[in-house]
Amino acid sequence: MDCAGRLPAVAARPTRNADLVARDLAVLWHPCTQMKDHEALPPIPIRRGEGVWLEDFDGNRYLDAVSSWWVNLFGHANPRINAALKAQLDELEHVILAGFTHAPALELAERLVALTPPGLERCFFSDNGSTAVEIALKMSFHYWRNAGEPGRTRFVNLTNSYHGETLGALAAGDVSLYKTTYEPLLMGVLTVPSPDCWHRAAGESCAEHSRRMLEPMRETLERHAGEVCAVIVEPLVQCAGSMRMYDPIYLRLLRELCDRHRVHLIADEVAVGFGRTGTLFACEQAGISPDFLCLSKGLTGGYLPLAATLTTERVYQAFYDDYATLRAFLHSHSYTGNALGCRAALASLDIFEQDDVCAHNRELSREMAQAVAPLAEHPHVGEVRQHGMILAVELVRDRKTREPYAWQERRGLRVYRHALGRGVLLRPLGDVVYFMPPYVITPEQIHRLAQVAREGIELATADSGAP
Ligand SMILES: *Cc1c(COP(=O)(O)O)cnc(C)c1O
């Protein structure tokens, strides 16, 4: 390398997947990956995206059934979002948001306040889902200090919940695969059983189960009265926790319970927000307003890292005072309210408005349900579940007892490999195969997706796996 940082010239021949893979594996460390796995299954270099399709350097195409980790809403290289971003780029890319402001940030804040459940009046920007959660946790904790109740220092979460990977967000979650190693670094939280309907008793409806599971929450809040800042939940779907789902009744009753105990409710809609569950926000299905709402992932339509934590005027006012009282929320991230990110988000919200996306998605959801219906009877499928545009198929060794496969068998990985060979990007969570596609998917593509998933599941469950 010379002192300008130039690398030696690369031979001028058409780039192939293999060229990029070799260079990648020499320098990159990929997220959420045991890098040794790439010895057998190299990463796939993507050259371009269009709509639901991703194309690699060898010319193979993949239908992006997981919206590139749940972020993409309206397809890759969406012409409308592209145009908005190109225009923004020529005006302003970014400016410090402390002491300054700009139209995209304030317009986005106005629209989020208008679109989110009533009572959420203030919008604090950051860059990703984990920071959106960190901010909600810190604001809630700090609110209680400012409000003269410094004894409230604890948070309550649900089993199998996920709120991100930074230390505070990781502490607030409960997926042991990501959390256990770091436990000595994490604040302790009060963990209460999730209303997840997978665990419902025989003959019990999902709603009955979710309602019954409020009891342990009630006990915990009673036992720790005056100690709790907030309860944090993922409304309706615990996405990273294997797409486990519960009934909206839980959220409605939880809201009442939080009010009774004067505890904040933090709704982490980082994954389920922006139409995934069938309504713009999942909280709408329970008719509730949280005290904090965390948004990211789909916020920019999958274009740029941006997040928002919305809260109430009441919380805001508890920080609003003369500087010398030292009550201000002195939290910041360098890229807070990035103008390009906000512009992408505005363009994405325009599409929601112009295209009646939620109505269209209801048709797509029905199509998804129909396409996988045959799988419900499969001997190694424990459950097919769905909330709007999220559909999950849980593989089990024994359908009757719901005994899982040993995780070491990595059945889901077999589905992943099969699907890639058939031009579909399905990335199961353990043994849970799911679809969370961009909203521009067509009914034909949904059926193709379901066909490939069925083949993959057939292959992945063909042997007993017994030693
Ligand atoms: C993905 C996710 C996060 C973390 O978002 P990042 O942008 O990956 O930090 C937090 N909460 C939920 C519910 C998520 O699904």
Side-chain angles (χ1 to χ4, degrees):
M1 194 183 302
D2 69 18
C3 73
R6 277 190 289 265
L7 290 166
V10 197
R13 62 182 171 81
T15 308
R16 309 281 301 171
N17 281 3
D19 305 327
L20 290 182
V21 167
R23 287 169 55 193
D24 174 290
L25 293 179
V27 290
L28 260 167
W29 192 341
H30 287 270
C32 203
T33 298
Q34 170 48 266
M35 289 299 289
K36 191 164 191 286
D37 277 0
H38 284 321
E39 289 178 9
L41 189 62
I44 298 167
I46 294 302
R47 191 170 72 84
R48 56 190 298 279
E50 187 183 356
V52 295
W53 295 104
L54 296 167
E55 188 182 314
D56 71 15
F57 281 77
D58 291 348
N60 304 305
R61 299 208 308 162
Y62 308 91
L63 200 167
D64 187 355
V66 299
S67 296
S68 285
W69 253 348
W70 322 340
V71 300
N72 189 289
L73 300 186
F74 300 114
H76 297 279
N78 181 286
R80 285 188 270 179
I81 303 178
N82 285 5
L85 271 178
K86 285 173 187 168
Q88 182 62 45
L89 194 54
D90 283 333
E91 283 184 6
L92 176 69
E93 79 300 337
H94 181 72
V95 62
I96 175 174
L97 202 68
F100 290 79
T101 191
H102 55 80
L106 69 88
E107 260 177 61
L108 181 58
E110 285 171 350
R111 285 175 74 175
L112 289 177
V113 164
L115 288 169
T116 51
L120 297 165
E121 316 271 12
R122 292 280 166 179
C123 181
F124 194 102
F125 286 116
S126 61
D127 346 278
N128 61 72
S130 304
T131 56
V133 168
E134 299 279 350
I135 288 161
L137 298 173
K138 283 178 70 178
M139 270 185 184
S140 173
F141 170 85
H142 198 160
Y143 169 89
W144 292 112
R145 293 184 84 80
N146 284 354
E149 293 193 53
R152 292 187 184 268
T153 59
R154 312 197 68 178
F155 292 94
V156 177
N157 71 354
L158 298 175
T159 52
N160 192 41
S161 56
Y162 180 87
H163 299 291
E165 301 291 345
T166 56
L167 294 176
L170 194 61
D174 184 56
V175 178
S176 58
L177 181 63
Y178 309 129
K179 185 170 179 178
T180 306
T181 307
Y182 307 100
E183 204 74 66
L185 303 178
L186 305 178
M187 68 170 167
V189 293
L190 299 163
T191 301
V192 169
S194 160
D196 171 1
C197 292
W198 173 258
H199 298 294
R200 67 188 180 273
E204 194 179 34
S205 75
C206 184
E208 284 162 355
H209 173 78
S210 291
R211 179 188 284 273
R212 182 163 61 79
M213 293 314 286
L214 199 74
E215 230 7 76
M217 179 64 82
R218 187 194 315 280
E219 279 168 28
T220 299
L221 291 181
E222 272 164 20
R223 189 159 355 107
H224 297 278
E227 297 170 28
V228 175
C229 299
V231 175
I232 181 167
V233 298
E234 297 156 274
L236 301 188
V237 188
Q238 296 186 308
C239 293
S242 303
M243 301 293 167
R244 291 292 181 75
M245 300 179 183
Y246 59 90
D247 192 272
I249 186 72
Y250 185 83
L251 293 173
R252 197 162 67 66
L253 299 174
L254 177 61
R255 176 71 273 185
E256 288 174 18
L257 203 56
C258 287
D259 286 343
R260 192 161 335 126
H261 288 274
R262 298 181 48 255
V263 161
H264 290 144
L265 177 59
I266 302 173
D268 177 357
E269 295 218 20
V270 167
V272 296
F274 300 102
R276 291 290 183 198
T277 66
T279 43
L280 192 56
F281 299 103
C283 281
E284 292 169 30
Q285 293 181 43
I288 61 147
S289 295
D291 299 283
F292 296 91
L293 178 67
C294 303
L295 302 173
S296 187
K297 295 210 165 102
L299 174 58
T300 62
Y303 267 67
L304 285 157
L306 182 72
T309 305
L310 285 104
T311 190
T312 60
E313 190 62 21
R314 182 193 181 105
V315 167
Y316 177 78
Q317 286 301 334
F319 292 77
Y320 195 92
D321 207 340
D322 294 328
Y323 185 80
T325 62
L326 296 178
R327 292 163 146 262
F329 189 60
L330 301 181
H331 180 112
S332 64
H333 296 286
S334 312
Y335 280 98
T336 294
N338 175 263
L340 289 168
C342 291
R343 180 57 68 198
L346 288 167
S348 176
L349 291 179
D350 286 343
I351 298 177
F352 271 104
E353 215 173 272
Q354 291 157 12
D355 292 8
D356 202 358
V357 171
C358 289
H360 175 65
N361 283 359
R362 277 193 285 281
E363 285 165 37
L364 293 178
S365 308
R366 273 196 293 275
E367 208 68 46
M368 279 165 53
Q370 237 171 49
V372 298
L375 270 175
E377 305 306 322
H378 191 281
H380 293 291
V381 168
E383 182 177 69
V384 176
R385 52 182 175 264
Q386 183 179 16
H387 253 311
M389 292 296 287
I390 307 174
L391 186 147
V393 179
E394 182 141 353
L395 306 184
V396 289
R397 181 183 301 283
D398 184 333
R399 175 188 174 75
K400 282 199 200 71
T401 62
R402 289 189 163 181
E403 180 202 344
Y405 284 111
W407 61 267
Q408 294 90 338
E409 295 172 12
R410 304 184 79 180
R411 303 267 171 171
L413 187 60
R414 302 186 201 175
V415 180
Y416 175 70
R417 298 180 76 131
H418 171 77
L420 282 180
R422 296 275 280 122
V424 171
L425 165 48
L426 278 173
R427 194 177 195 277
L429 289 152
D431 292 337
V432 175
V433 179
Y434 70 90
F435 307 155
M436 203 197 281
Y439 305 157
V440 294
I441 195 168
T442 65
E444 294 70 38
Q445 289 163 345
I446 286 173
H447 284 276
R448 172 179 175 157
L449 195 59
Q451 173 62 27
V452 170
R454 278 210 298 276
E455 296 164 6
I457 289 170
E458 214 51 74
L459 278 169
T461 61
D463 64 294
S464 72

